[in-house]
Amino acid sequence: MNLKWTFLLAVLTLLAACGRKQQHTFTNELLLPMTPIKDQGKSELCWAYAMLATIETEHLLRGDSVNLSPVYIGRLMHLNPSPNTEHPQRAMGQTLLNMIGQHGIVPYDVLPDDATDDLPTPRWVFMLGARYTPQEFAHSVCAPDEYLSLTCFPDSPYNKKIVVPVPDNWEQNRLLNLPIDTLKQHVNRALRHRHPVCWESRGHAMCIVGMAKSEEGRPYYIMKNSWGPRGPHKGLVYMSERKMWKDMIALYLTRDAFSIER
């Protein structure tokens, strides 16, 4: 997405400010398993990469290896672009859930990041000797209503679903509006009980796969990014707790993860 470079510049500025010590600053408190880092290239599909990464890690933690194709989603978006003519690929995590529910998904090795236009979109998914439609395969990796969509807009009623007023929500999806402290509790409990969380801001989306502390003891979230295995952390981004919550627009996690009490 175009804002990718703005976000990257901000990350590089932070790295420069921290100097060479950046590579040795953090101590991981937890780091969830994940599929290999993908690369969205020049696309604006970070929301699809982040949400699929969340689904993948959730399955890895269940002992089930699943690696899914964001390129398949990109092709669907080409056929049904967003009404934002300037950014026809922009959307939100809920859009990904809606799309795979309706149109399915295919494995990453069938349509990888470097798939060219002459590689056809598969009509079938072959897995463990069985044949599935993309819709059937999608339902096996993400059940309908398995994920909750959450937000925090203090000007709107809490504990009710609201339409998040951002351009990327062109589908007018409704997200559960919760107080920020409540959201923090749910996210931190989910992570500590080994559930990933999809995070979205106005400019980018990533999957939260861990928690860390700086050498000063400040809390950070570990994000799986979608710009390839680059940088000092090979594709992971360490984001301060303050920035993560300040920039947050939407969060997505399973109902099981949300229901954890302690």
Side-chain angles (χ1 to χ4, degrees):
M1 59 198 303
N2 292 342
L3 289 176
K4 165 183 173 180
W5 307 113
T6 302
F7 187 87
L8 178 60
L9 179 60
V11 171
L12 292 175
T13 301
L14 175 63
L15 295 179
C18 292
R20 293 182 179 178
K21 293 174 65 177
Q22 178 74 12
Q23 296 186 41
H24 309 286
T25 296
F26 302 107
T27 300
N28 292 351
E29 294 187 322
L30 67 94
L31 182 61
L32 303 179
M34 67 195 85
T35 54
I37 301 288
K38 298 181 176 68
D39 191 345
Q40 69 184 78
K42 295 181 180 179
S43 78
E44 298 181 301
L45 297 171
C46 62
W47 51 276
Y49 279 82
M51 193 69 239
L52 291 176
T54 304
I55 296 171
E56 291 165 356
T57 287
E58 189 69 42
H59 272 267
L60 288 173
L61 290 163
R62 301 172 190 174
D64 180 21
S65 179
V66 172
N67 199 5
L68 305 171
S69 172
V71 171
Y72 179 82
I73 302 300
R75 292 188 176 185
L76 293 177
M77 288 295 291
H78 180 73
L79 296 174
N80 299 283
S82 83
N84 185 340
T85 56
E86 186 177 356
H87 300 288
Q89 288 187 320
R90 293 279 294 272
M92 297 182 72
Q94 184 62 50
T95 307
L96 182 281
L97 297 172
N98 297 342
M99 291 179 74
I100 68 172
Q102 183 176 358
H103 301 287
I105 192 68
V106 300
Y108 178 81
D109 59 0
V110 176
L111 279 180
D113 286 340
D114 59 358
T116 54
D117 292 341
D118 59 348
L119 184 64
T121 301
R123 296 176 56 194
W124 303 101
V125 175
F126 296 91
M127 185 84 51
L128 301 176
R131 186 179 77 169
Y132 305 91
T133 65
Q135 292 90 339
E136 290 170 338
F137 179 64
H139 290 163
S140 74
V141 299
C142 185
D145 298 325
E146 181 177 350
Y147 281 81
L148 287 174
S149 305
L150 310 174
T151 191
C152 178
F153 274 80
D155 294 336
S156 298
Y158 286 134
N159 300 307
K160 295 183 182 296
K161 288 190 174 182
I162 66 168
V163 175
V164 176
V166 295
D168 291 350
N169 191 22
W170 48 269
E171 290 185 310
Q172 298 292 291
N173 290 307
R174 301 176 69 85
L175 286 71
L176 181 60
N177 191 34
L178 296 175
I180 193 69
D181 288 342
T182 302
L183 267 182
K184 288 180 180 180
Q185 291 174 3
H186 282 291
V187 168
N188 291 342
R189 287 173 188 164
L191 291 168
R192 291 190 175 110
H193 284 80
R194 299 181 65 75
H195 290 277
V197 178
C198 182
W199 170 89
E200 282 191 77
S201 69
R202 292 182 185 271
H204 197 44
M206 295 185 283
C207 174
I208 309 176
V209 292
M211 305 173 79
K213 289 284 181 68
S214 69
E215 60 185 11
E216 298 83 12
R218 295 173 182 156
Y220 280 72
Y221 291 98
I222 308 173
M223 311 283 206
K224 181 185 180 184
N225 205 357
S226 53
W227 299 344
R230 303 183 181 94
H233 304 293
K234 307 302 181 184
L236 298 180
V237 171
Y238 284 73
M239 183 177 291
S240 70
E241 182 182 63
R242 179 178 178 276
K243 178 173 177 56
M244 184 282 220
W245 289 108
K246 176 178 177 292
D247 293 351
M248 185 275 303
I249 293 294
L251 297 165
Y252 307 88
L253 70 169
T254 64
R255 291 179 181 274
D256 287 345
F258 181 81
S259 64
I260 295 169
E261 294 184 359
R262 292 292 177 188

Short mmCIF file of all heavy atoms in Angstrom, two decimals, residues 64-122:
data_model
loop_
_atom_site.label_atom_id
_atom_site.label_comp_id
_atom_site.label_asym_id
_atom_site.label_seq_id
_atom_site.Cartn_x
_atom_site.Cartn_y
_atom_site.Cartn_z
N ASP A 64 -1.97 -27.85 13.74
CA ASP A 64 -2.39 -27.98 12.36
C ASP A 64 -1.64 -26.95 11.51
O ASP A 64 -1.80 -25.75 11.72
CB ASP A 64 -3.91 -27.77 12.26
CG ASP A 64 -4.42 -27.88 10.84
OD1 ASP A 64 -3.74 -28.50 10.01
OD2 ASP A 64 -5.52 -27.35 10.57
N SER A 65 -0.85 -27.41 10.56
CA SER A 65 -0.05 -26.50 9.74
C SER A 65 -0.87 -26.02 8.56
O SER A 65 -1.28 -26.81 7.70
CB SER A 65 1.21 -27.22 9.25
OG SER A 65 1.98 -26.36 8.44
N VAL A 66 -1.13 -24.71 8.51
CA VAL A 66 -1.90 -24.09 7.43
C VAL A 66 -1.15 -22.85 6.96
O VAL A 66 -0.73 -22.03 7.78
CB VAL A 66 -3.32 -23.70 7.91
CG1 VAL A 66 -4.03 -22.87 6.84
CG2 VAL A 66 -4.14 -24.95 8.23
N ASN A 67 -0.96 -22.73 5.64
CA ASN A 67 -0.30 -21.56 5.06
C ASN A 67 -1.16 -21.09 3.89
O ASN A 67 -1.38 -21.84 2.94
CB ASN A 67 1.11 -21.93 4.59
CG ASN A 67 2.00 -20.73 4.40
OD1 ASN A 67 1.61 -19.60 4.71
ND2 ASN A 67 3.20 -20.94 3.89
N LEU A 68 -1.68 -19.86 3.96
CA LEU A 68 -2.75 -19.40 3.09
C LEU A 68 -2.28 -18.31 2.13
O LEU A 68 -1.32 -17.60 2.42
CB LEU A 68 -3.92 -18.91 3.94
CG LEU A 68 -4.44 -19.93 4.96
CD1 LEU A 68 -5.45 -19.28 5.90
CD2 LEU A 68 -5.06 -21.14 4.25
N SER A 69 -2.99 -18.16 1.02
CA SER A 69 -2.54 -17.30 -0.08
C SER A 69 -3.21 -15.93 -0.08
O SER A 69 -4.37 -15.81 -0.47
CB SER A 69 -2.83 -17.99 -1.42
OG SER A 69 -2.57 -17.11 -2.50
N PRO A 70 -2.48 -14.87 0.27
CA PRO A 70 -3.02 -13.51 0.09
C PRO A 70 -3.19 -13.13 -1.37
O PRO A 70 -4.03 -12.29 -1.69
CB PRO A 70 -1.97 -12.62 0.77
CG PRO A 70 -1.22 -13.53 1.69
CD PRO A 70 -1.20 -14.84 0.99
N VAL A 71 -2.42 -13.74 -2.27
CA VAL A 71 -2.54 -13.43 -3.69
C VAL A 71 -3.94 -13.80 -4.19
O VAL A 71 -4.53 -13.10 -5.04
CB VAL A 71 -1.45 -14.16 -4.50
CG1 VAL A 71 -1.69 -14.03 -6.00
CG2 VAL A 71 -0.07 -13.59 -4.16
N TYR A 72 -4.50 -14.89 -3.66
CA TYR A 72 -5.87 -15.27 -4.02
C TYR A 72 -6.84 -14.15 -3.66
O TYR A 72 -7.73 -13.81 -4.45
CB TYR A 72 -6.23 -16.55 -3.27
CG TYR A 72 -7.62 -17.06 -3.53
CD1 TYR A 72 -7.92 -17.82 -4.65
CD2 TYR A 72 -8.65 -16.81 -2.62
CE1 TYR A 72 -9.20 -18.31 -4.88
CE2 TYR A 72 -9.93 -17.29 -2.84
CZ TYR A 72 -10.20 -18.04 -3.97
OH TYR A 72 -11.47 -18.52 -4.19
N ILE A 73 -6.65 -13.54 -2.50
CA ILE A 73 -7.49 -12.42 -2.08
C ILE A 73 -7.27 -11.23 -3.00
O ILE A 73 -8.21 -10.52 -3.37
CB ILE A 73 -7.20 -12.04 -0.62
CG1 ILE A 73 -7.43 -13.25 0.31
CG2 ILE A 73 -8.04 -10.85 -0.18
CD1 ILE A 73 -8.86 -13.78 0.28
N GLY A 74 -6.02 -11.00 -3.39
CA GLY A 74 -5.73 -9.90 -4.30
C GLY A 74 -6.46 -10.05 -5.63
O GLY A 74 -6.95 -9.07 -6.19
N ARG A 75 -6.55 -11.27 -6.11
CA ARG A 75 -7.26 -11.50 -7.37
C ARG A 75 -8.76 -11.27 -7.19
O ARG A 75 -9.42 -10.76 -8.11
CB ARG A 75 -6.97 -12.91 -7.88
CG ARG A 75 -5.50 -13.07 -8.32
CD ARG A 75 -5.25 -14.39 -9.00
NE ARG A 75 -3.87 -14.47 -9.48
CZ ARG A 75 -3.38 -15.47 -10.20
NH1 ARG A 75 -4.18 -16.48 -10.55
NH2 ARG A 75 -2.13 -15.47 -10.58
N LEU A 76 -9.30 -11.65 -6.05
CA LEU A 76 -10.71 -11.36 -5.79
C LEU A 76 -10.95 -9.86 -5.73
O LEU A 76 -11.97 -9.36 -6.23
CB LEU A 76 -11.13 -12.01 -4.47
CG LEU A 76 -11.17 -13.55 -4.43
CD1 LEU A 76 -11.55 -14.01 -3.02
CD2 LEU A 76 -12.14 -14.11 -5.46
N MET A 77 -10.02 -9.13 -5.11
CA MET A 77 -10.16 -7.68 -5.03
C MET A 77 -10.08 -7.03 -6.41
O MET A 77 -10.71 -6.00 -6.67
CB MET A 77 -9.10 -7.09 -4.11
CG MET A 77 -9.33 -7.37 -2.64
SD MET A 77 -10.82 -6.58 -1.99
CE MET A 77 -10.35 -4.85 -2.06
N HIS A 78 -9.30 -7.63 -7.30
CA HIS A 78 -9.21 -7.10 -8.66
C HIS A 78 -10.56 -7.21 -9.37
O HIS A 78 -10.95 -6.33 -10.14
CB HIS A 78 -8.13 -7.85 -9.44
CG HIS A 78 -7.97 -7.38 -10.85
ND1 HIS A 78 -7.38 -6.17 -11.17
CD2 HIS A 78 -8.33 -7.93 -12.04
CE1 HIS A 78 -7.36 -6.01 -12.48
NE2 HIS A 78 -7.95 -7.06 -13.03
N LEU A 79 -11.28 -8.30 -9.08
CA LEU A 79 -12.59 -8.50 -9.68
C LEU A 79 -13.66 -7.64 -9.02
O LEU A 79 -14.62 -7.22 -9.66
CB LEU A 79 -12.98 -9.98 -9.60
CG LEU A 79 -12.09 -10.96 -10.37
CD1 LEU A 79 -12.52 -12.39 -10.06
CD2 LEU A 79 -12.15 -10.69 -11.86
N ASN A 80 -13.48 -7.40 -7.71
CA ASN A 80 -14.46 -6.61 -6.95
C ASN A 80 -13.72 -5.57 -6.11
O ASN A 80 -13.63 -5.70 -4.88
CB ASN A 80 -15.29 -7.53 -6.04
CG ASN A 80 -16.07 -8.56 -6.83
OD1 ASN A 80 -17.09 -8.25 -7.42
ND2 ASN A 80 -15.59 -9.80 -6.83
N PRO A 81 -13.16 -4.54 -6.74
CA PRO A 81 -12.36 -3.55 -6.00
C PRO A 81 -13.22 -2.72 -5.06
O PRO A 81 -14.44 -2.63 -5.21
CB PRO A 81 -11.78 -2.68 -7.13
CG PRO A 81 -12.75 -2.82 -8.25
CD PRO A 81 -13.28 -4.22 -8.17
N SER A 82 -12.55 -2.12 -4.10
CA SER A 82 -13.25 -1.23 -3.19
C SER A 82 -13.71 0.01 -3.95
O SER A 82 -13.16 0.35 -5.00
CB SER A 82 -12.34 -0.82 -2.03
OG SER A 82 -11.51 0.25 -2.40
N PRO A 83 -14.70 0.74 -3.43
CA PRO A 83 -15.15 1.96 -4.11
C PRO A 83 -14.15 3.11 -4.04
O PRO A 83 -14.36 4.13 -4.67
CB PRO A 83 -16.45 2.30 -3.37
CG PRO A 83 -16.33 1.64 -2.05
CD PRO A 83 -15.53 0.41 -2.27
N ASN A 84 -13.08 2.92 -3.26
CA ASN A 84 -12.03 3.93 -3.17
C ASN A 84 -11.14 3.81 -4.41
O ASN A 84 -10.24 2.96 -4.46
CB ASN A 84 -11.22 3.74 -1.89
CG ASN A 84 -10.19 4.84 -1.67
OD1 ASN A 84 -9.80 5.55 -2.59
ND2 ASN A 84 -9.74 4.97 -0.44
N THR A 85 -11.40 4.62 -5.42
CA THR A 85 -10.68 4.48 -6.69
C THR A 85 -9.20 4.77 -6.55
O THR A 85 -8.39 4.27 -7.33
CB THR A 85 -11.29 5.42 -7.75
OG1 THR A 85 -11.28 6.77 -7.24
CG2 THR A 85 -12.72 5.01 -8.07
N GLU A 86 -8.82 5.58 -5.57
CA GLU A 86 -7.41 5.87 -5.35
C GLU A 86 -6.68 4.69 -4.72
O GLU A 86 -5.50 4.46 -4.97
CB GLU A 86 -7.26 7.12 -4.47
CG GLU A 86 -5.82 7.57 -4.31
CD GLU A 86 -5.69 8.84 -3.49
OE1 GLU A 86 -6.74 9.42 -3.11
OE2 GLU A 86 -4.55 9.26 -3.22
N HIS A 87 -7.41 3.92 -3.88
CA HIS A 87 -6.82 2.77 -3.21
C HIS A 87 -7.78 1.58 -3.33
O HIS A 87 -8.43 1.18 -2.37
CB HIS A 87 -6.56 3.08 -1.73
CG HIS A 87 -5.64 4.22 -1.51
ND1 HIS A 87 -4.28 4.15 -1.75
CD2 HIS A 87 -5.87 5.49 -1.07
CE1 HIS A 87 -3.71 5.32 -1.46
NE2 HIS A 87 -4.66 6.14 -1.05
N PRO A 88 -7.87 0.98 -4.53
CA PRO A 88 -8.88 -0.05 -4.76
C PRO A 88 -8.64 -1.36 -4.01
O PRO A 88 -9.53 -2.20 -3.97
CB PRO A 88 -8.81 -0.27 -6.28
CG PRO A 88 -7.43 0.15 -6.66
CD PRO A 88 -7.09 1.29 -5.74
N GLN A 89 -7.44 -1.54 -3.42
CA GLN A 89 -7.16 -2.76 -2.68
C GLN A 89 -7.30 -2.59 -1.18
O GLN A 89 -7.17 -3.57 -0.45
CB GLN A 89 -5.75 -3.26 -2.99
CG GLN A 89 -5.56 -3.83 -4.38
CD GLN A 89 -4.19 -4.44 -4.55
OE1 GLN A 89 -3.17 -3.90 -4.08
NE2 GLN A 89 -4.12 -5.57 -5.22
N ARG A 90 -7.58 -1.41 -0.72
CA ARG A 90 -7.64 -1.15 0.72
C ARG A 90 -8.90 -1.73 1.33
O ARG A 90 -9.99 -1.67 0.75
CB ARG A 90 -7.57 0.35 1.00
CG ARG A 90 -6.25 1.00 0.65
CD ARG A 90 -5.21 0.80 1.72
NE ARG A 90 -5.56 1.49 2.95
CZ ARG A 90 -5.23 2.76 3.23
NH1 ARG A 90 -4.58 3.47 2.34
NH2 ARG A 90 -5.57 3.30 4.38
N ALA A 91 -8.78 -2.30 2.52
CA ALA A 91 -9.92 -2.86 3.23
C ALA A 91 -9.50 -3.13 4.67
O ALA A 91 -8.47 -2.62 5.13
CB ALA A 91 -10.43 -4.13 2.55
N MET A 92 -10.28 -3.94 5.39
CA MET A 92 -10.01 -4.25 6.80
C MET A 92 -10.03 -5.76 7.01
O MET A 92 -10.43 -6.52 6.13
CB MET A 92 -11.04 -3.56 7.70
CG MET A 92 -11.00 -2.05 7.63
SD MET A 92 -12.17 -1.26 8.75
CE MET A 92 -11.39 -1.58 10.35
N GLY A 93 -9.63 -6.16 8.20
CA GLY A 93 -9.58 -7.58 8.52
C GLY A 93 -10.92 -8.27 8.37
O GLY A 93 -11.00 -9.43 7.93
N GLN A 94 -12.00 -7.57 8.72
CA GLN A 94 -13.32 -8.17 8.58
C GLN A 94 -13.65 -8.44 7.11
O GLN A 94 -14.34 -9.41 6.80
CB GLN A 94 -14.39 -7.26 9.20
CG GLN A 94 -15.80 -7.85 9.17
CD GLN A 94 -15.91 -9.12 9.98
OE1 GLN A 94 -15.48 -9.17 11.13
NE2 GLN A 94 -16.49 -10.15 9.39
N THR A 95 -13.10 -7.61 6.22
CA THR A 95 -13.30 -7.84 4.79
C THR A 95 -12.71 -9.19 4.39
O THR A 95 -13.31 -9.94 3.62
CB THR A 95 -12.65 -6.73 3.96
OG1 THR A 95 -13.12 -5.46 4.41
CG2 THR A 95 -12.95 -6.87 2.48
N LEU A 96 -11.53 -9.51 4.92
CA LEU A 96 -10.90 -10.79 4.63
C LEU A 96 -11.80 -11.93 5.11
O LEU A 96 -12.02 -12.91 4.38
CB LEU A 96 -9.53 -10.86 5.30
CG LEU A 96 -8.63 -12.09 5.12
CD1 LEU A 96 -9.01 -13.25 6.00
CD2 LEU A 96 -8.54 -12.51 3.66
N LEU A 97 -12.33 -11.82 6.32
CA LEU A 97 -13.20 -12.87 6.85
C LEU A 97 -14.44 -13.01 5.98
O LEU A 97 -14.90 -14.13 5.70
CB LEU A 97 -13.57 -12.56 8.29
CG LEU A 97 -12.40 -12.52 9.29
CD1 LEU A 97 -12.89 -12.02 10.64
CD2 LEU A 97 -11.77 -13.89 9.43
N ASN A 98 -15.00 -11.88 5.55
CA ASN A 98 -16.18 -11.93 4.68
C ASN A 98 -15.85 -12.59 3.34
O ASN A 98 -16.64 -13.38 2.81
CB ASN A 98 -16.71 -10.52 4.43
CG ASN A 98 -17.19 -9.83 5.68
OD1 ASN A 98 -17.45 -10.47 6.70
ND2 ASN A 98 -17.31 -8.51 5.64
N MET A 99 -14.69 -12.25 2.79
CA MET A 99 -14.33 -12.75 1.47
C MET A 99 -14.07 -14.25 1.47
O MET A 99 -14.53 -14.96 0.57
CB MET A 99 -13.10 -12.00 0.94
CG MET A 99 -13.38 -10.55 0.60
SD MET A 99 -11.93 -9.67 0.00
CE MET A 99 -11.78 -10.35 -1.64
N ILE A 100 -13.35 -14.75 2.47
CA ILE A 100 -13.09 -16.19 2.46
C ILE A 100 -14.36 -16.97 2.80
O ILE A 100 -14.52 -18.11 2.36
CB ILE A 100 -11.91 -16.58 3.38
CG1 ILE A 100 -12.24 -16.37 4.86
CG2 ILE A 100 -10.65 -15.83 2.99
CD1 ILE A 100 -11.17 -16.92 5.78
N GLY A 101 -15.26 -16.35 3.56
CA GLY A 101 -16.53 -16.99 3.82
C GLY A 101 -17.36 -17.14 2.55
O GLY A 101 -18.07 -18.13 2.37
N GLN A 102 -17.25 -16.18 1.66
CA GLN A 102 -18.04 -16.19 0.43
C GLN A 102 -17.32 -16.86 -0.73
O GLN A 102 -17.93 -17.62 -1.51
CB GLN A 102 -18.42 -14.77 0.04
CG GLN A 102 -19.31 -14.69 -1.20
CD GLN A 102 -19.74 -13.28 -1.51
OE1 GLN A 102 -19.41 -12.33 -0.81
NE2 GLN A 102 -20.50 -13.11 -2.59
N HIS A 103 -16.01 -16.58 -0.86
CA HIS A 103 -15.27 -17.04 -2.04
C HIS A 103 -14.20 -18.07 -1.73
O HIS A 103 -13.58 -18.60 -2.65
CB HIS A 103 -14.61 -15.84 -2.73
CG HIS A 103 -15.58 -14.79 -3.16
ND1 HIS A 103 -16.42 -14.95 -4.24
CD2 HIS A 103 -15.84 -13.56 -2.65
CE1 HIS A 103 -17.17 -13.86 -4.39
NE2 HIS A 103 -16.84 -13.00 -3.43
N GLY A 104 -13.95 -18.34 -0.46
CA GLY A 104 -12.96 -19.34 -0.10
C GLY A 104 -11.54 -18.82 -0.07
O GLY A 104 -11.28 -17.62 -0.17
N ILE A 105 -10.61 -19.76 0.05
CA ILE A 105 -9.18 -19.45 0.11
C ILE A 105 -8.43 -20.67 -0.41
O ILE A 105 -9.00 -21.77 -0.45
CB ILE A 105 -8.74 -19.08 1.56
CG1 ILE A 105 -7.33 -18.47 1.58
CG2 ILE A 105 -8.83 -20.30 2.48
CD1 ILE A 105 -7.23 -17.13 0.94
N VAL A 106 -7.18 -20.48 -0.81
CA VAL A 106 -6.36 -21.59 -1.29
C VAL A 106 -5.02 -21.54 -0.56
O VAL A 106 -4.63 -20.51 0.01
CB VAL A 106 -6.14 -21.52 -2.82
CG1 VAL A 106 -7.49 -21.57 -3.55
CG2 VAL A 106 -5.34 -20.28 -3.21
N PRO A 107 -4.28 -22.66 -0.57
CA PRO A 107 -2.97 -22.67 0.11
C PRO A 107 -1.97 -21.74 -0.57
O PRO A 107 -2.05 -21.46 -1.77
CB PRO A 107 -2.54 -24.14 -0.01
CG PRO A 107 -3.80 -24.91 -0.22
CD PRO A 107 -4.68 -24.00 -1.02
N TYR A 108 -1.00 -21.32 0.23
CA TYR A 108 0.03 -20.40 -0.26
C TYR A 108 0.87 -21.01 -1.37
O TYR A 108 1.23 -20.32 -2.33
CB TYR A 108 0.93 -20.00 0.91
CG TYR A 108 2.07 -19.08 0.53
CD1 TYR A 108 1.85 -17.71 0.38
CD2 TYR A 108 3.36 -19.57 0.31
CE1 TYR A 108 2.90 -16.86 0.03
CE2 TYR A 108 4.39 -18.73 -0.04
CZ TYR A 108 4.16 -17.38 -0.19
OH TYR A 108 5.19 -16.54 -0.54
N ASP A 109 1.18 -22.30 -1.27
CA ASP A 109 2.07 -22.89 -2.28
C ASP A 109 1.40 -23.00 -3.64
O ASP A 109 2.07 -23.19 -4.66
CB ASP A 109 2.61 -24.25 -1.83
CG ASP A 109 1.52 -25.26 -1.54
OD1 ASP A 109 0.32 -24.92 -1.69
OD2 ASP A 109 1.84 -26.40 -1.17
N VAL A 110 0.07 -22.86 -3.69
CA VAL A 110 -0.65 -22.86 -4.97
C VAL A 110 -0.58 -21.48 -5.63
O VAL A 110 -0.42 -21.38 -6.85
CB VAL A 110 -2.12 -23.27 -4.75
CG1 VAL A 110 -2.92 -23.17 -6.04
CG2 VAL A 110 -2.20 -24.68 -4.18
N LEU A 111 -0.69 -20.42 -4.81
CA LEU A 111 -0.57 -19.04 -5.30
C LEU A 111 0.34 -18.27 -4.34
O LEU A 111 -0.13 -17.57 -3.45
CB LEU A 111 -1.95 -18.37 -5.38
CG LEU A 111 -2.83 -18.64 -6.59
CD1 LEU A 111 -4.14 -17.87 -6.47
CD2 LEU A 111 -2.12 -18.27 -7.89
N PRO A 112 1.66 -18.39 -4.50
CA PRO A 112 2.59 -17.69 -3.61
C PRO A 112 2.69 -16.21 -3.93
O PRO A 112 2.08 -15.72 -4.89
CB PRO A 112 3.92 -18.40 -3.87
CG PRO A 112 3.80 -18.87 -5.29
CD PRO A 112 2.35 -19.22 -5.50
N ASP A 113 3.47 -15.49 -3.13
CA ASP A 113 3.62 -14.04 -3.32
C ASP A 113 4.13 -13.69 -4.71
O ASP A 113 3.77 -12.64 -5.26
CB ASP A 113 4.59 -13.47 -2.27
CG ASP A 113 3.96 -13.39 -0.89
OD1 ASP A 113 2.72 -13.41 -0.80
OD2 ASP A 113 4.72 -13.32 0.09
N ASP A 114 4.97 -14.55 -5.27
CA ASP A 114 5.57 -14.22 -6.57
C ASP A 114 4.79 -14.82 -7.74
O ASP A 114 5.31 -14.91 -8.86
CB ASP A 114 7.03 -14.68 -6.62
CG ASP A 114 7.18 -16.18 -6.39
OD1 ASP A 114 6.16 -16.86 -6.14
OD2 ASP A 114 8.33 -16.68 -6.45
N ALA A 115 3.53 -15.22 -7.50
CA ALA A 115 2.72 -15.78 -8.59
C ALA A 115 2.50 -14.73 -9.67
O ALA A 115 2.13 -13.59 -9.39
CB ALA A 115 1.38 -16.25 -8.04
N THR A 116 2.73 -15.12 -10.90
CA THR A 116 2.52 -14.21 -12.03
C THR A 116 1.10 -14.36 -12.56
O THR A 116 0.38 -15.32 -12.24
CB THR A 116 3.53 -14.51 -13.15
OG1 THR A 116 3.45 -15.90 -13.50
CG2 THR A 116 4.95 -14.20 -12.68
N ASP A 117 0.70 -13.41 -13.38
CA ASP A 117 -0.68 -13.40 -13.87
C ASP A 117 -1.02 -14.63 -14.71
O ASP A 117 -2.21 -15.00 -14.82
CB ASP A 117 -0.94 -12.13 -14.70
CG ASP A 117 -0.92 -10.87 -13.84
OD1 ASP A 117 -1.08 -11.00 -12.61
OD2 ASP A 117 -0.75 -9.77 -14.40
N ASP A 118 -0.01 -15.27 -15.28
CA ASP A 118 -0.31 -16.43 -16.12
C ASP A 118 -0.53 -17.70 -15.30
O ASP A 118 -0.90 -18.74 -15.85
CB ASP A 118 0.80 -16.66 -17.16
CG ASP A 118 2.16 -16.88 -16.52
OD1 ASP A 118 2.30 -16.65 -15.30
OD2 ASP A 118 3.09 -17.29 -17.23
N LEU A 119 -0.30 -17.63 -13.99
CA LEU A 119 -0.59 -18.78 -13.13
C LEU A 119 -2.08 -18.74 -12.79
O LEU A 119 -2.56 -17.80 -12.15
CB LEU A 119 0.24 -18.72 -11.85
CG LEU A 119 0.09 -19.90 -10.89
CD1 LEU A 119 0.59 -21.19 -11.56
CD2 LEU A 119 0.87 -19.64 -9.60
N PRO A 120 -2.85 -19.72 -13.24
CA PRO A 120 -4.31 -19.64 -13.07
C PRO A 120 -4.74 -19.73 -11.62
O PRO A 120 -4.07 -20.36 -10.79
CB PRO A 120 -4.82 -20.83 -13.88
CG PRO A 120 -3.68 -21.78 -13.92
CD PRO A 120 -2.44 -20.95 -13.93
N THR A 121 -5.86 -19.11 -11.32
CA THR A 121 -6.47 -19.23 -10.00
C THR A 121 -7.10 -20.61 -9.89
O THR A 121 -7.94 -20.98 -10.74
CB THR A 121 -7.54 -18.16 -9.79
OG1 THR A 121 -6.94 -16.86 -9.94
CG2 THR A 121 -8.17 -18.27 -8.41
N PRO A 122 -6.72 -21.41 -8.91
CA PRO A 122 -7.22 -22.80 -8.85
C PRO A 122 -8.71 -22.87 -8.53
O PRO A 122 -9.23 -22.06 -7.77
CB PRO A 122 -6.38 -23.42 -7.73
CG PRO A 122 -5.95 -22.27 -6.90
CD PRO A 122 -5.78 -21.12 -7.82
#
